[in-house]
Amino acid sequence: MIDRPAMVDFGTFPLKKLTGKFERQPVENEYHQVTVTIDEEGVLTWTNAAGVSWQFMVVDRELHTVPDSIYGERNVLVDLDARKNVTALIFLGENYVRIDDPPVIDDDSEQCFVIRASNGSVVNFCL
């Protein structure tokens, strides 16, 4: 159990560090096995083993699911190790622990973001 997740500023955090395979343990159904991916536009997608997926967005420097996900817009917390690698995602109060190696990120790598505009549309940009 994660006592206190890290406060992550998603205005500067490389979103690629969120990619990988995660499990809610114990695994009781296919919703507890998750893969997080990022596409070439920087859009993060959560896909579970049941084939259900939704995207993430950054709102006020926090990570959220998009409003049209099956759970609506929800905050997603992140647990980091000392090297700032993502060790777990905390969603709906449950810990999804990383079960693969974290991605290797160059300090000079491109950082991409997904934010929601004031009109509700989702905007992607990369630095």
Side-chain angles (χ1 to χ4, degrees), residues 37-97:
T37 58
I38 190 167
D39 69 14
E40 45 291 333
E41 279 105 36
V43 176
L44 283 167
T45 302
W46 167 297
T47 304
N48 61 37
V52 179
S53 63
W54 54 84
Q55 295 176 343
F56 295 102
M57 62 184 180
V58 175
V59 177
D60 296 328
R61 299 180 176 264
E62 294 180 345
L63 191 65
H64 292 256
T65 57
V66 295
D68 65 352
S69 78
I70 65 170
Y71 297 104
E73 183 178 336
R74 302 291 182 132
N75 187 257
V76 180
L77 301 175
V78 176
D79 189 56
L80 304 176
D81 65 15
R83 299 174 122 180
K84 305 255 188 240
N85 290 316
V86 176
T87 59
L89 302 174
I90 299 94
F91 180 61
L92 297 176
E94 297 184 320
N95 299 328
Y96 287 77
V97 178

Side-chain angles (χ1 to χ4, degrees), residues 115-123:
I115 57 173
R116 184 174 55 182
S118 59
N119 65 3
S121 64
V122 175
V123 178

Side-chain angles (χ1 to χ4, degrees), residues 6-63:
M7 295 301 298
V8 177
D9 179 352
F10 285 99
T12 58
F13 189 80
L15 296 181
K16 187 175 179 184
K17 285 189 168 206
L18 295 164
T19 61
K21 295 185 181 295
F22 300 85
E23 287 184 347
R24 194 211 63 135
Q25 298 171 348
V27 174
E28 296 174 336
N29 61 56
E30 292 179 323
Y31 277 67
H32 297 158
Q33 298 169 300
V34 173
T35 301
V36 176
T37 58
I38 190 167
D39 69 14
E40 45 291 333
E41 279 105 36
V43 176
L44 283 167
T45 302
W46 167 297
T47 304
N48 61 37
V52 179
S53 63
W54 54 84
Q55 295 176 343
F56 295 102
M57 62 184 180
V58 175
V59 177
D60 296 328
R61 299 180 176 264
E62 294 180 345
L63 191 65

Side-chain angles (χ1 to χ4, degrees), residues 106-124:
D106 291 334
D107 287 339
D108 297 329
S109 68
E110 180 176 67
Q111 294 185 31
C112 296
F113 306 93
V114 181
I115 57 173
R116 184 174 55 182
S118 59
N119 65 3
S121 64
V122 175
V123 178
N124 306 310

